[in-house]
Amino acid sequence: MNKIVLNHALTADELSRFGISKELIDEIKNIPCETFIRMPQFKKSLIQAFANHGFVKRISLDKYQGLYITGKKDKIGLCIQMGHKAGFYFDLFKISYLVRKGKIDRALVILPSKRVEKFCNTSSVATYELISKQMSLFKKELNFDLQILKLDFN
């Protein structure tokens, strides 16, 4: 049976600074994924788990533009990116905008692993493996603290 995990190399203090509690990690582990599941279903379950732990869902960038990030808790932006790899970079622009406006001062991005992509029978997804490799070029260009966590199976 597959168990979903949120892989990271963060200390307990860093997890706390980004709004992630042990209870949230445990709730994510309990998301059912024994049989085929589509990425949107996964994302919906993840969003609800974060909402159950204090993240406000669907944060608007501007009332006239119809642009959103997944959520926010205090000054922490949340983007759960389960779609096309280009969507990740658009999320970075949205996060940067919210930082510049003073709405957030750091951000957490959740990306699926290659194994989750394969399990969901999809492709061209912004996987952790792809994006973390590409971000080695761009990380110094960001003016905010960004943590990218991997959604994977144990």
Side-chain angles (χ1 to χ4, degrees):
M1 176 172 72
N2 290 322
K3 279 280 194 190
I4 202 76
V5 292
L6 201 54
N7 284 342
H8 59 83
L10 302 175
T11 66
D13 286 343
E14 289 170 322
L15 286 171
S16 178
R17 185 170 178 273
F18 280 87
I20 299 175
S21 64
K22 181 186 179 318
E23 293 80 15
L24 172 55
I25 290 171
D26 289 343
E27 185 168 339
I28 290 169
K29 285 179 185 175
N30 289 320
I31 292 173
C33 55
E34 294 156 10
T35 60
F36 173 76
I37 186 170
R38 298 190 51 81
M39 284 288 189
Q41 293 168 291
F42 246 136
K43 185 174 180 176
K44 186 176 179 182
S45 297
L46 281 170
I47 291 169
Q48 190 56 54
F50 277 90
N52 292 345
H53 295 274
F55 282 81
V56 177
K57 296 190 264 185
R58 200 166 151 89
I59 300 302
S60 175
L61 275 69
D62 179 273
K63 62 182 178 179
Y64 301 109
Q65 298 297 325
L67 298 173
Y68 302 88
I69 63 169
T70 304
K72 178 183 166 203
K73 179 179 183 180
D74 303 321
K75 295 287 242 174
I76 307 160
L78 172 67
C79 289
I80 299 175
Q81 179 54 257
M82 307 287 278
H84 190 271
K85 51 193 166 195
F88 169 78
Y89 294 99
F90 188 48
D91 280 349
L92 281 185
F93 275 100
K94 293 187 286 184
I95 291 166
S96 185
Y97 175 85
L98 290 172
V99 168
R100 191 169 48 83
K101 291 294 186 180
K103 304 285 186 188
I104 62 173
D105 61 13
R106 57 195 176 279
L108 181 63
V109 176
I110 311 297
L111 299 175
S113 69
K114 291 288 289 175
R115 289 193 307 178
V116 170
E117 177 187 45
K118 186 175 180 177
F119 179 80
C120 292
N121 197 26
T122 191
S123 62
S124 297
V125 169
T127 63
Y128 177 85
E129 292 83 355
L130 173 70
I131 298 300
S132 60
K133 181 178 174 186
Q134 292 176 350
M135 283 303 291
S136 66
L137 297 173
F138 306 120
K139 189 96 171 166
K140 292 179 183 171
E141 304 302 319
L142 304 178
N143 64 344
F144 54 89
D145 193 0
L146 174 70
Q147 292 295 330
I148 301 174
L149 304 184
K150 178 168 62 169
L151 186 69
D152 202 358
F153 296 120
N154 66 349

